[in-house]
Amino acid sequence: GAVVSQHPSWVICKSGTSVKIECRSLDFQATTMFWYRQFPKQSLMLMATSNEGSKATYEQGVEKDKFLINHASLTLSTLTVTSAHPEDSSFYICSGTSGDQETQYFGPGTRLLVL
Amino acid sequence: GQNIDQPTEMTATEGAIVQINCTYQTSGFNGLFWYQQHAGEAPTFLSYNVLDGLEEKGRFSSFLSRSKGYSYLLLKELQMKDSASYLCAVSGSARQLTFGSGTQLTVLP
């Protein structure tokens, strides 16, 4: 299957700071990338969908000014958590899909802890 | 919107067969996925069904009935490493995935 990487794999930051998470498709061109969040013992919740070169589409309840998504190329999408607070601590996972393919391939996830 | 139901927990014995069911109600349907997720890791793709019927891939099989809004994942010859959470996810009209809450499978020796 296709490979997606994320960086960093984990991050600890102070409340009020911003954190950027990178998602890269290593062996395919990800025309669409998705960002999910997963709290402990819960399932994945879609935050936003981004198509290369377009603005991201955010799910209801997700603040677009707080979670900035950039999908500037076919292999890279970034999620920036601005002014992070402890309640933003979670497991953030990206996925990518290419062309008409339906299967999403997931990155290894980034664990964020906001103190 | 999407509503997806699957059992919270299941337990089975090594070498046995287990079936994990998933029912869904959807306003748009582009297929159903099963993913495996070990604790602290991202999901890994297991199967994709868009047409009715059974898809077999090694020890894992997945079944879909679109008219009934029903799918199951069948795991044969269970191994200890199969202990994980199994996520049923429905792909909507914009290819966004809506996940069920996951079924935590524990395989006992």
Side-chain angles (χ1 to χ4, degrees), chain A:
Chain A
V3 180
V4 176
S5 70
Q6 275 183 247
H7 178 80
S9 55
W10 60 270
V11 58
I12 301 174
C13 70
K14 293 182 179 179
S15 183
T17 60
S18 295
V19 174
K20 179 186 283 189
I21 302 170
E22 291 186 350
C23 176
R24 293 182 185 273
S25 57
L26 299 185
D27 55 359
F28 70 102
Q29 293 186 324
T31 49
T32 304
M33 284 187 166
F34 303 86
W35 286 95
Y36 296 85
R37 182 167 52 181
Q38 185 176 34
F39 292 105
K41 298 191 182 299
Q42 295 185 23
S43 195
L44 282 75
M45 296 296 293
L46 179 65
M47 298 175 67
T49 303
S50 74
N51 293 298
E52 185 264 339
S54 303
K55 288 185 178 180
T57 302
Y58 290 81
E59 295 299 300
Q60 192 172 5
V62 178
E63 300 174 56
K64 63 179 182 180
D65 294 330
K66 180 173 180 61
F67 298 99
L68 303 179
I69 292 173
N70 184 282
H71 190 170
S73 78
L74 287 171
T75 59
L76 173 64
S77 177
T78 61
L79 167 68
T80 301
V81 183
T82 63
S83 186
H85 291 286
E87 57 265 31
D88 298 324
S89 299
S90 187
F91 190 43
Y92 291 86
I93 309 173
C94 71
S95 71
T97 188
S98 178
D100 295 332
Q101 293 196 359
E102 292 293 337
T103 302
Q104 291 183 28
Y105 295 95
F106 287 83
T110 296
R111 196 161 300 280
L112 171 64
L113 176 62
V114 184
L115 301 177

Side-chain angles (χ1 to χ4, degrees), chain B residues 36 59-60 77-84 86 105 107:
Chain B
Q36 180 192 62
R59 294 190 298 116
F60 293 2
E77 302 170 14
L78 280 175
Q79 302 175 9
M80 299 296 290
K81 67 178 182 179
D82 297 329
S83 292
Y86 290 85
L105 173 65
V107 180

